[in-house]
Amino acid sequence: MKMNMRLWLGSILTVLLLIPAASAFGVSSPYWTDNPLVMEPGESREVILSLQNMLGGEDMTIQAEMIGGSEIATIIDSDTVYPVDFGERHVPVTLSIAVPGDAELGSAYSVNIEFKEVKASEGSFVGLSTAVATSFPVQVGESAPEVEVQYPVEPQQGPNYLWIGLILIALLAVVAYLYKKR
Amino acid sequence: MARRRYSRRSRRRSNNLHQGYFIAGLLFLAVALFAVTGDGGITGFATSDDVGLNITVGNIAPTVDDISNISAQNPTEATFTEVIFTFNATDSDGGSQLTGPTGRFNLTGEAFRDNASCEEITVINSTSREYRCNIKMYYFDAPGTWTVNATISDSNGDSGTRLETFTFNQLLAMVLAPDNLTWASLAFTDTNSTANNDATQINNTGNANSNLSVTALDLHGETTVPDTLNAENFTVSTHTGGTCSGVTCSECTETLQANGSAVNITNATLPRGNFSVSDLDTGKELFYYCLLALNQSISSQSYSTSFLGPWTVTQFAV
């Protein structure tokens, strides 16, 4: 009986260790520091960023906030709080970029957006959450063609650690039962 | 009289002789010219011989005629993205001679990604085929314009290549664990107390070289809420004094936190890379925490982030 209890506790502990202790998310962008967006004076364009949640096994809620470049850029989605379910590879965040007509050729702006995990902190400890601050330069010059990004048709599911853990518990339970019968 | 007749006859005979010599010379010249230049002239060579002919028809190298357009691709957190493209190839000697279709992605300074065996999907006609390549791009592969190389060979060993490009976008992403910090029970006089469940390991699950900041918030009492442990009493560091206490703990001498303000952590970098590599640097960073001292005026109870919310670890590209 003692051996079986130890086995049960050991298996549960093993499973808990296998399940990641934190979830996280990512932001994909077609523009970055070394790959600026080039637009002409007076030009307007939409840029789509992608939120994804491929790790941790839990759905997340992400809040977006412009922290720089609001003189030329705005988030045009009706709600800047985005549910990103586990396994989602493309939750779009749409920006509208408008370069003033009197902008000087060769000048540049910086668009900065922070994406923060909306998370309640519970329990008697110091909780940690994650945030991602993405930015890209907008250069005023001869306009380049819009970047066409291929988005996934269906979200790809990453490994579901919870199910893996439950299956392991079941297997260990079988082993324990057989050991007991012996 | 006889002498004059004799002289006339002599001159006539002489003239005839000169004319003969002249005509003979002309005839000789004509014969000589004909012998050298005329058809069937005298050459000294054989008049006929057998000639052997050996004609080799060379192999025509195959060509890659076209590569399908590849849209910009987003990386996928902590795994790979399959990038698919097609290309057409032609061999004038016959499409059945086409063999060994391969695809490769290159970027200077990066490991190449390839499919050494693309599959034939269409017989276009007697000389042309269409192939499809699936190539995996990993989450830590650099963002930028990658060169696409499609190559086809034939059964004679000749090959043809065509180049194209596509853009691999930037992905800012990370995961950290554990997502909470705990301390052992503390006395009011305790100083330089380190968390008992650190380090926090932060893995870069994207392809952007990054830095990190921490926004700390005051901890409030769970029973008497107005009592606070100020954020400024905490430090965050990328290294530790190990099993240490008090001032010997190097994490207690590092970056001080400030309530509600993002503080860049000294020397904290989160480079892109395969974080699965068993070391302390590749694609990862570690954080250690220290509580310098307790506010002497607070009550004895549990303090946490339940009231104001969790601390935030922010990743930003460099």
Side-chain angles (χ1 to χ4, degrees), chain B residues 32-294:
Chain B
L33 283 172
F34 180 76
V36 172
T37 64
D39 188 21
I42 301 171
T43 64
F45 294 111
T47 56
S48 66
D49 200 351
D50 292 330
V51 176
L53 291 177
N54 188 353
I55 301 173
T56 301
V57 179
N59 182 59
I60 301 175
T63 58
V64 176
D65 308 316
D66 180 54
I67 300 176
S68 64
N69 179 55
I70 304 175
S71 302
Q73 301 287 319
N74 285 338
T76 307
E77 271 189 280
T79 184
F80 58 83
T81 300
E82 273 204 326
V83 182
I84 299 173
F85 69 95
T86 61
F87 68 89
N88 297 340
T90 296
D91 191 331
S92 301
D93 299 319
S96 60
Q97 298 207 16
L98 291 169
T99 185
T102 62
R104 175 173 288 192
F105 295 157
N106 287 314
L107 181 65
T108 303
E110 294 292 303
F112 61 80
R113 303 296 177 205
D114 66 354
N115 182 339
S117 180
C118 304
E119 64 169 331
E120 179 182 305
I121 57 173
T122 308
V123 176
I124 299 173
N125 53 41
S126 62
T127 57
S128 298
R129 303 288 187 269
E130 183 181 21
Y131 300 92
R132 176 171 57 217
C133 303
N134 288 25
I135 299 181
K136 294 177 182 174
M137 289 291 290
Y138 287 86
Y139 65 93
F140 50 84
D141 287 332
T145 302
W146 286 67
T147 300
V148 182
N149 182 319
T151 299
I152 192 71
S153 301
D154 68 12
S155 50
N156 290 296
D158 289 323
S159 64
T161 297
R162 179 174 285 269
L163 302 180
E164 192 45 84
T165 61
F166 82 100
T167 301
F168 198 51
N169 287 341
Q170 183 188 73
L171 173 64
L172 262 174
M174 65 172 178
V175 61
L176 60 76
D179 65 349
N180 58 76
L181 307 172
T182 57
W183 272 260
S185 291
L186 302 173
F188 281 105
T189 54
D190 284 343
T191 59
N192 298 326
S193 305
T194 59
N196 61 3
N197 71 334
D198 57 3
T200 300
Q201 179 163 328
I202 305 165
N203 292 341
N204 190 339
T205 56
N207 65 354
N209 289 323
S210 313
N211 284 342
L212 297 167
S213 68
V214 175
T215 304
L217 298 170
D218 293 339
L219 307 186
H220 282 253
E222 294 190 332
T223 306
T224 307
V225 173
D227 288 357
T228 60
L229 274 176
N230 295 338
E232 290 84 357
N233 289 350
F234 291 88
T235 64
V236 181
S237 172
T238 58
H239 51 85
T240 178
T243 305
C244 59
S245 61
V247 295
T248 64
C249 297
S250 58
E251 57 263 57
C252 299
T253 61
E254 293 293 329
T255 310
L256 283 175
Q257 296 307 298
N259 184 40
S261 298
V263 176
N264 291 350
I265 306 303
T266 305
N267 299 319
T269 61
L270 193 61
R272 66 179 177 90
N274 184 357
F275 64 79
S276 302
V277 172
S278 298
D279 61 18
L280 298 178
D281 302 302
T282 306
K284 61 179 72 77
E285 183 59 273
L286 300 174
F287 278 173
Y288 301 89
Y289 308 85
C290 178
L291 173 57
L292 298 176
L294 297 169

